[in-house]
Amino acid sequence: ETLRKNGIKSASYFWPGSEVTDAERRPDYYKTFKHDELPEAKISGILSWLKMSEAERPKFITLYFHDTDGAGHHFGPDSPQIDSTIHFLDSIVGVLLTRIDQIGMKDSVNIIVLSDHGMTAMSKTREIDLKEILKGHEADVNLMSSMAMILPNDSNDLEKIYFKLKKNEKHYKVYKKNNMPLYFHFSSNPYIYPIIVVPDLGWRLKYDPKRYHDALGEHGFDNYQTDMHGIFFAVGNIFKKNYKIGTINNIDIYPLLCQIYGLTPKKNIDGKTERIEFILERK
């Protein structure tokens, strides 16, 4: 969106939401998401955009692979299946780099490879039954990956439900919306329910049997947990060479990209350029 508003062409070969109906929020070029799209088709699509004329060529391209997320959920993050999936995607990145070199654009393209989250192992022996804890109270319980929001049907029940959860607080923490730890950035939105339950790493919340998920891997836990950390690799002329860094924040990548394109990022963000700009090669 920021690039479009500044007259810079962009493209997306799958990125969640890239085909939104509002044309002002879409990339100039995009592909509607298909879960079973073959990697070769994605690579060919990227190459076709890069081979466009200078005037038509997108200056920013996103490419998304769901494979590790799917394997992590289905088989768990410590499984041989996730290892083979990582190996497969690594080889795909290798093919992409080779193809970019073959069209003579190796020195013209900068690439960032990253994941949006990590994954931790789950087990049926680590489950918290909210329905059992809340027995006798009616509420809308919204399970969101690894958290839960609770809205009592009767507002007079709010304190009763909160204290019942507090009394049974084991392998989870319960908060009122206005007492959520600040680093979650999860308290100001009006759609957030008044009670929030945050489970310990690797513990599954369950409530409605119809919505029960028995995934062997899950994400969405406290991002201070290293299991929730992802990966970040960057290669190209604008980045330092053979330079290893510690933990970075994914939310800082947007203002980093803005700096690369010489743009001013939006003001209403939590990302900070100064926490990540040191990875750039200074000319």
Side-chain angles (χ1 to χ4, degrees):
E1 289 180 47
T2 301
L3 292 171
R4 176 182 278 277
K5 289 173 183 175
N6 285 274
I8 300 174
K9 284 184 167 33
S10 63
S12 176
Y13 210 113
F14 302 169
W15 201 262
S18 62
E19 69 274 24
V20 292
T21 54
D22 183 356
E24 291 303 308
R25 303 188 65 194
R26 281 199 309 260
D28 295 274
Y29 312 105
Y30 66 93
K31 294 288 186 178
T32 302
F33 184 76
K34 293 180 184 176
H35 191 270
D36 56 353
E37 185 89 338
L38 295 175
E40 178 57 34
K42 296 180 183 180
I43 293 173
S44 296
I46 297 293
L47 270 291
S48 68
W49 285 329
L50 289 176
K51 289 189 286 188
M52 284 180 166
S53 67
E54 175 66 24
E56 296 301 316
R57 183 189 306 148
K59 303 301 187 291
F60 177 71
I61 300 173
T62 63
L63 172 61
Y64 171 70
F65 290 98
H66 69 272
D67 307 70
T68 43
D69 185 66
H73 282 303
H74 193 70
F75 300 106
D78 305 312
S79 63
Q81 289 91 342
I82 194 67
D83 288 345
S84 61
T85 304
I86 292 170
H87 184 272
F88 168 70
L89 288 186
D90 184 65
S91 69
I92 295 301
V93 173
V95 172
L96 177 62
L97 292 173
T98 299
R99 296 280 296 278
I100 290 173
D101 191 15
Q102 287 172 348
I103 64 171
M105 296 195 70
K106 180 179 180 181
D107 294 331
S108 303
V109 176
N110 296 279
I111 296 176
I112 293 175
V113 179
L114 73 156
S115 50
D116 53 336
H117 54 71
M119 191 81 73
T120 198
M122 305 295 287
S123 168
K124 287 191 175 183
T125 64
R126 298 191 300 272
E127 293 186 336
I128 300 158
D129 191 344
L130 292 177
K131 199 169 193 70
E132 182 64 29
I133 295 173
L134 298 180
K135 188 180 293 183
H137 298 281
E138 296 295 324
D140 179 5
V141 178
N142 187 344
L143 293 176
M144 311 176 303
S145 184
S146 303
M147 294 172 61
M149 300 192 302
I150 299 173
L151 176 65
N153 288 2
D154 184 344
S155 59
N156 294 320
D157 265 358
L158 194 149
E159 292 297 330
K160 295 175 186 176
I161 289 176
Y162 173 76
F163 283 114
K164 200 162 191 180
L165 286 163
K166 196 71 178 173
K167 180 181 177 182
N168 291 277
E169 199 174 52
K170 185 178 180 182
H171 302 303
Y172 69 86
K173 295 290 184 185
V174 60
Y175 302 98
K176 290 183 180 177
K177 175 180 174 178
N178 58 349
N179 290 327
M180 267 296 271
L182 293 177
Y183 70 88
F184 278 100
H185 297 276
F186 198 74
S187 58
S188 60
N189 192 288
Y191 292 106
I192 297 173
Y193 288 2
I195 297 173
I196 302 161
V197 180
V198 181
D200 291 348
L201 184 72
W203 283 80
R204 177 181 286 115
L205 298 173
K206 64 178 187 176
Y207 183 76
D208 182 354
K210 295 178 182 176
R211 297 184 60 200
Y212 176 76
H213 299 286
D214 58 353
L216 294 178
E218 193 55 89
H219 50 85
F221 292 93
D222 188 332
N223 66 359
Y224 275 86
Q225 299 282 352
T226 55
D227 275 13
M228 294 298 97
H229 292 187
I231 59 169
F232 179 94
F233 300 105
V235 61
N237 293 331
I238 61 175
F239 300 111
K240 290 179 179 177
K241 309 294 186 292
N242 302 312
Y243 186 66
K244 293 184 178 181
I245 60 174
T247 301
I248 64 167
N249 296 283
N250 267 9
I251 57 173
D252 294 338
I253 295 170
Y254 165 71
L256 174 75
L257 291 170
C258 287
Q259 177 156 326
I260 290 170
Y261 286 96
L263 304 176
T264 301
K266 293 189 72 172
K267 300 296 183 185
N268 61 338
I269 62 169
D270 297 312
K272 298 182 184 298
T273 312
E274 56 267 28
R275 291 190 300 219
I276 194 172
E277 61 184 352
F278 61 87
I279 72 171
L280 297 175
E281 188 68 75
R282 299 301 181 189
K283 298 298 183 182

